Amino acid sequence: MSKPLPTVAGHEPETLSLAARAGRPTQVVLGVLRIVLGIYFLWAFFDKTFGLGFATPAERAWVNGGSPTTGYLSGVEGPFAGFFNGMAGAVWADWLFMAALLGIGLALTLGIGMRVAAVSGAALLLFMYLASLPLETNPVLDDHLTMALTIVALAMIGAGDVLGLGRTWKRLPLVRRNAWLV
């Protein structure tokens, strides 16, 4: 005998995301996982912007004239070194990278725009994976790939709907007209 699908006020069971239909403990884990990944991106944004002294010292902060891409991309030595070294320190690369960190971080933390966050987050992490080649601890896999797959999975199951603003976001007229914003 199958259990009836849970209902949420104002939603038919079949319109609820997989995450919203899950039991409360599962919802909490999915929501917390999404938020933690969002904070991961936001932390990188704030550390690179203000030089909080973790990965970025204050004197190399973006607000102090430092380049968020120079340190990482100029040190790439793998098969894509020429490609990534050429981008290091470019103003457009700095702005694109920082906008990506902020946008992905906000989307994941708030549970909004999960499709955009999944595509852009996976793309950013794939580039970071390629810049890391050759890998030191595993010949094929690293945390960039696992994080990218996790973000895509969270978007696919609708994790923004739990412990987030995903349901409210999806009801906005702009989002209803542009499904890619979900």
Side-chain angles (χ1 to χ4, degrees), residues 34 88 96 111 166 181:
R34 188 198 78 244
L96 186 60
L181 290 172

Side-chain angles (χ1 to χ4, degrees), residues 55-182:
T56 308
E59 61 273 6
R60 290 198 347 238
W62 199 26
V63 297
N64 292 332
S67 167
T69 60
T70 296
Y72 186 70
L73 294 180
S74 62
V76 173
E77 297 176 353
F80 301 103
F83 176 72
F84 289 113
N85 295 161
M87 284 191 280
V91 172
W92 66 266
D94 288 344
W95 278 94
L96 186 60
F97 178 64
M98 295 302 282
L101 290 177
L102 180 61
I104 296 162
L106 287 173
L108 290 172
T109 302
L110 299 174
I112 61 174
M114 291 293 293
R115 286 184 186 169
V116 176
V119 171
S120 57
L124 177 65
L125 290 161
L126 178 62
F127 278 118
M128 293 176 80
Y129 168 77
L130 293 174
S132 299
L133 295 175
L135 303 175
E136 294 180 16
T137 59
N138 183 308
V140 180
L141 299 174
D142 79 344
D143 59 327
H144 296 104
L145 293 180
T146 56
M147 221 182 327
L149 288 170
T150 301
I151 294 169
V152 170
L154 289 170
M156 290 177 77
I157 64 171
D161 295 353
V162 296
L163 302 181
L165 302 174
R167 287 189 205 143
T168 302
W169 175 257
K170 290 174 185 174
R171 289 193 299 264
L172 295 174
L174 176 68
V175 178
R176 286 179 171 262
R177 287 190 308 273
N178 299 284
W180 63 273
L181 290 172
V182 170

Side-chain angles (χ1 to χ4, degrees), residues 38-49 56 97-98 101:
I39 292 170
Y40 179 87
F41 283 91
L42 288 175
W43 177 258
F45 172 81
F46 286 115
D47 186 46
K48 290 177 184 327
T49 300
T56 308
F97 178 64
M98 295 302 282
L101 290 177

